[in-house]
mmCIF file of all heavy atoms in Angstrom:
data_model
loop_
_atom_site.group_PDB
_atom_site.id
_atom_site.type_symbol
_atom_site.label_atom_id
_atom_site.label_comp_id
_atom_site.label_asym_id
_atom_site.label_seq_id
_atom_site.Cartn_x
_atom_site.Cartn_y
_atom_site.Cartn_z
ATOM 1 N N ILE A 13 228.876 16.794 225.186
ATOM 2 C CA ILE A 13 228.568 16.001 223.999
ATOM 3 C C ILE A 13 227.082 15.677 223.980
ATOM 4 O O ILE A 13 226.463 15.453 225.007
ATOM 5 C CB ILE A 13 229.405 14.712 224.008
ATOM 6 C CG1 ILE A 13 230.889 15.057 224.128
ATOM 7 C CG2 ILE A 13 229.159 13.878 222.774
ATOM 8 C CD1 ILE A 13 231.791 13.886 224.330
ATOM 9 N N TYR A 24 230.458 2.281 249.692
ATOM 10 C CA TYR A 24 229.832 1.489 250.746
ATOM 11 C C TYR A 24 230.860 1.191 251.848
ATOM 12 O O TYR A 24 232.055 1.016 251.561
ATOM 13 C CB TYR A 24 229.324 0.148 250.202
ATOM 14 C CG TYR A 24 228.279 0.259 249.131
ATOM 15 C CD1 TYR A 24 228.646 0.356 247.784
ATOM 16 C CD2 TYR A 24 226.923 0.250 249.440
ATOM 17 C CE1 TYR A 24 227.686 0.442 246.788
ATOM 18 C CE2 TYR A 24 225.958 0.333 248.441
ATOM 19 C CZ TYR A 24 226.349 0.434 247.118
ATOM 20 O OH TYR A 24 225.403 0.517 246.126
ATOM 21 N N VAL A 32 226.492 -0.159 254.738
ATOM 22 C CA VAL A 32 225.635 0.987 254.438
ATOM 23 C C VAL A 32 226.274 1.823 253.332
ATOM 24 O O VAL A 32 227.500 1.898 253.221
ATOM 25 C CB VAL A 32 225.405 1.869 255.682
ATOM 26 C CG1 VAL A 32 224.664 1.097 256.763
ATOM 27 C CG2 VAL A 32 226.725 2.398 256.226
ATOM 28 N N GLY A 68 221.910 5.886 220.290
ATOM 29 C CA GLY A 68 223.198 6.335 219.809
ATOM 30 C C GLY A 68 223.649 7.628 220.473
ATOM 31 O O GLY A 68 222.881 8.572 220.608
ATOM 32 N N LEU A 72 226.540 5.604 229.778
ATOM 33 C CA LEU A 72 226.154 5.247 231.149
ATOM 34 C C LEU A 72 227.412 4.808 231.889
ATOM 35 O O LEU A 72 228.155 3.946 231.407
ATOM 36 C CB LEU A 72 225.115 4.135 231.115
ATOM 37 C CG LEU A 72 224.487 3.649 232.424
ATOM 38 C CD1 LEU A 72 223.100 3.080 232.166
ATOM 39 C CD2 LEU A 72 225.362 2.576 233.084
ATOM 40 N N LEU A 78 233.743 -0.413 247.354
ATOM 41 C CA LEU A 78 233.400 -1.106 248.594
ATOM 42 C C LEU A 78 234.602 -1.060 249.524
ATOM 43 O O LEU A 78 235.692 -1.542 249.181
ATOM 44 C CB LEU A 78 233.015 -2.564 248.326
ATOM 45 C CG LEU A 78 231.573 -2.832 247.855
ATOM 46 C CD1 LEU A 78 231.308 -2.210 246.493
ATOM 47 C CD2 LEU A 78 231.308 -4.330 247.814
ATOM 48 N N GLN A 104 228.666 2.027 227.655
ATOM 49 C CA GLN A 104 228.446 1.692 229.056
ATOM 50 C C GLN A 104 229.775 1.325 229.696
ATOM 51 O O GLN A 104 230.548 0.553 229.129
ATOM 52 C CB GLN A 104 227.476 0.521 229.188
ATOM 53 C CG GLN A 104 227.308 0.013 230.625
ATOM 54 C CD GLN A 104 226.329 -1.129 230.718
ATOM 55 O OE1 GLN A 104 225.158 -0.929 230.992
ATOM 56 N NE2 GLN A 104 226.798 -2.347 230.478
ATOM 57 N N ASN A 130 224.548 -0.234 218.081
ATOM 58 C CA ASN A 130 225.985 0.041 217.997
ATOM 59 C C ASN A 130 226.450 0.292 219.427
ATOM 60 O O ASN A 130 226.133 1.328 220.017
ATOM 61 C CB ASN A 130 226.245 1.247 217.100
ATOM 62 C CG ASN A 130 227.727 1.513 216.882
ATOM 63 O OD1 ASN A 130 228.584 0.755 217.332
ATOM 64 N ND2 ASN A 130 228.034 2.598 216.195
ATOM 65 N N GLU A 136 234.635 -3.674 234.570
ATOM 66 C CA GLU A 136 235.956 -3.824 235.177
ATOM 67 C C GLU A 136 235.800 -4.027 236.679
ATOM 68 O O GLU A 136 235.119 -3.253 237.359
ATOM 69 C CB GLU A 136 236.824 -2.603 234.897
ATOM 70 C CG GLU A 136 238.246 -2.753 235.408
ATOM 71 C CD GLU A 136 239.179 -1.678 234.877
ATOM 72 O OE1 GLU A 136 238.678 -0.703 234.287
ATOM 73 O OE2 GLU A 136 240.392 -1.817 235.056
ATOM 74 N N ASN A 138 238.020 -4.747 240.266
ATOM 75 C CA ASN A 138 239.324 -4.708 240.918
ATOM 76 C C ASN A 138 239.178 -5.230 242.343
ATOM 77 O O ASN A 138 238.455 -4.651 243.157
ATOM 78 C CB ASN A 138 239.875 -3.278 240.931
ATOM 79 C CG ASN A 138 240.085 -2.729 239.533
ATOM 80 O OD1 ASN A 138 240.859 -3.278 238.766
ATOM 81 N ND2 ASN A 138 239.372 -1.658 239.190
ATOM 82 N N ALA A 141 243.028 -8.137 248.388
ATOM 83 C CA ALA A 141 243.183 -9.453 249.021
ATOM 84 C C ALA A 141 241.926 -9.804 249.816
ATOM 85 O O ALA A 141 241.397 -8.975 250.552
ATOM 86 C CB ALA A 141 244.401 -9.454 249.941
ATOM 87 N N GLY A 165 224.478 -4.266 212.692
ATOM 88 C CA GLY A 165 224.873 -3.662 213.958
ATOM 89 C C GLY A 165 226.188 -4.214 214.462
ATOM 90 O O GLY A 165 226.813 -5.084 213.852
ATOM 91 N N ILE A 173 238.806 -8.626 235.112
ATOM 92 C CA ILE A 173 238.916 -8.757 236.561
ATOM 93 C C ILE A 173 240.393 -8.748 236.950
ATOM 94 O O ILE A 173 241.194 -9.519 236.390
ATOM 95 C CB ILE A 173 238.248 -10.049 237.072
ATOM 96 C CG1 ILE A 173 236.752 -10.034 236.742
ATOM 97 C CG2 ILE A 173 238.451 -10.188 238.584
ATOM 98 C CD1 ILE A 173 236.019 -11.278 237.178
ATOM 99 N N TYR A 187 230.922 -8.555 218.339
ATOM 100 C CA TYR A 187 229.843 -9.182 217.578
ATOM 101 C C TYR A 187 229.425 -8.215 216.469
ATOM 102 O O TYR A 187 228.883 -7.144 216.743
ATOM 103 C CB TYR A 187 228.639 -9.464 218.478
ATOM 104 C CG TYR A 187 228.934 -10.311 219.688
ATOM 105 C CD1 TYR A 187 229.248 -9.713 220.914
ATOM 106 C CD2 TYR A 187 228.889 -11.702 219.632
ATOM 107 C CE1 TYR A 187 229.504 -10.481 222.033
ATOM 108 C CE2 TYR A 187 229.151 -12.482 220.754
ATOM 109 C CZ TYR A 187 229.461 -11.862 221.948
ATOM 110 O OH TYR A 187 229.716 -12.628 223.061
ATOM 111 N N ALA A 192 230.611 -14.638 210.592
ATOM 112 C CA ALA A 192 230.457 -16.082 210.745
ATOM 113 C C ALA A 192 230.331 -16.497 212.205
ATOM 114 O O ALA A 192 229.822 -17.586 212.507
ATOM 115 C CB ALA A 192 231.645 -16.798 210.107
ATOM 116 N N LEU A 193 230.768 -15.635 213.121
ATOM 117 C CA LEU A 193 230.673 -15.934 214.558
ATOM 118 C C LEU A 193 229.256 -16.318 214.967
ATOM 119 O O LEU A 193 229.062 -17.177 215.827
ATOM 120 C CB LEU A 193 231.124 -14.707 215.360
ATOM 121 C CG LEU A 193 230.967 -14.770 216.889
ATOM 122 C CD1 LEU A 193 231.930 -15.789 217.474
ATOM 123 C CD2 LEU A 193 231.199 -13.398 217.510
ATOM 124 N N THR A 195 226.955 -17.907 213.289
ATOM 125 C CA THR A 195 226.482 -19.213 212.808
ATOM 126 C C THR A 195 227.480 -20.337 213.023
ATOM 127 O O THR A 195 227.104 -21.506 212.970
ATOM 128 C CB THR A 195 226.144 -19.123 211.314
ATOM 129 O OG1 THR A 195 227.287 -18.641 210.597
ATOM 130 C CG2 THR A 195 224.975 -18.175 211.078
ATOM 131 N N VAL A 210 230.436 -15.192 236.333
ATOM 132 C CA VAL A 210 231.806 -15.213 236.825
ATOM 133 C C VAL A 210 231.825 -15.204 238.347
ATOM 134 O O VAL A 210 231.134 -14.400 238.979
ATOM 135 C CB VAL A 210 232.593 -13.985 236.310
ATOM 136 C CG1 VAL A 210 234.043 -14.065 236.740
ATOM 137 C CG2 VAL A 210 232.483 -13.861 234.795
ATOM 138 N N LEU A 211 232.611 -16.102 238.914
ATOM 139 C CA LEU A 211 232.906 -16.080 240.347
ATOM 140 C C LEU A 211 234.404 -15.874 240.490
ATOM 141 O O LEU A 211 235.194 -16.580 239.850
ATOM 142 C CB LEU A 211 232.497 -17.383 241.031
ATOM 143 C CG LEU A 211 230.993 -17.654 241.183
ATOM 144 C CD1 LEU A 211 230.420 -18.246 239.901
ATOM 145 C CD2 LEU A 211 230.730 -18.600 242.358
ATOM 146 N N GLY A 213 237.782 -14.825 243.227
ATOM 147 C CA GLY A 213 238.294 -14.653 244.576
ATOM 148 C C GLY A 213 239.136 -15.829 244.987
ATOM 149 O O GLY A 213 239.193 -16.871 244.321
ATOM 150 N N ASN A 217 237.387 -22.774 243.809
ATOM 151 C CA ASN A 217 238.113 -24.045 243.744
ATOM 152 C C ASN A 217 237.362 -25.072 242.900
ATOM 153 O O ASN A 217 236.265 -24.817 242.409
ATOM 154 C CB ASN A 217 238.362 -24.589 245.158
ATOM 155 C CG ASN A 217 237.078 -24.767 245.942
ATOM 156 O OD1 ASN A 217 236.104 -25.330 245.433
ATOM 157 N ND2 ASN A 217 237.042 -24.274 247.163
ATOM 158 N N VAL A 261 222.853 -21.136 239.641
ATOM 159 C CA VAL A 261 224.284 -21.185 239.933
ATOM 160 C C VAL A 261 224.598 -20.324 241.145
ATOM 161 O O VAL A 261 225.312 -20.748 242.073
ATOM 162 C CB VAL A 261 225.102 -20.711 238.710
ATOM 163 C CG1 VAL A 261 226.564 -20.503 239.089
ATOM 164 C CG2 VAL A 261 224.992 -21.716 237.570
ATOM 165 N N GLU A 268 229.177 -21.318 249.258
ATOM 166 C CA GLU A 268 230.556 -21.786 249.228
ATOM 167 C C GLU A 268 231.541 -20.631 249.102
ATOM 168 O O GLU A 268 232.604 -20.633 249.733
ATOM 169 C CB GLU A 268 230.758 -22.761 248.071
ATOM 170 C CG GLU A 268 229.983 -24.068 248.207
ATOM 171 C CD GLU A 268 230.314 -25.033 247.086
ATOM 172 O OE1 GLU A 268 231.504 -25.373 246.925
ATOM 173 O OE2 GLU A 268 229.383 -25.437 246.359
ATOM 174 N N ARG A 278 214.186 -8.947 246.316
ATOM 175 C CA ARG A 278 212.737 -8.819 246.255
ATOM 176 C C ARG A 278 212.245 -8.468 244.862
ATOM 177 O O ARG A 278 211.169 -8.910 244.442
ATOM 178 C CB ARG A 278 212.270 -7.753 247.251
ATOM 179 C CG ARG A 278 212.545 -8.098 248.715
ATOM 180 C CD ARG A 278 212.152 -6.941 249.626
ATOM 181 N NE ARG A 278 212.525 -7.214 251.005
ATOM 182 C CZ ARG A 278 212.376 -6.335 251.991
ATOM 183 N NH1 ARG A 278 211.837 -5.153 251.741
ATOM 184 N NH2 ARG A 278 212.746 -6.648 253.218
#
Side-chain angles (χ1 to χ4, degrees):
I13 305 172
Y24 299 89
V32 297
L72 184 153
L78 278 65
Q104 174 179 265
N130 185 4
E136 185 168 11
N138 298 299
I173 298 179
Y187 304 93
L193 174 68
T195 55
V210 184
L211 289 83
N217 57 47
V261 169
E268 294 185 57
R278 296 176 185 175

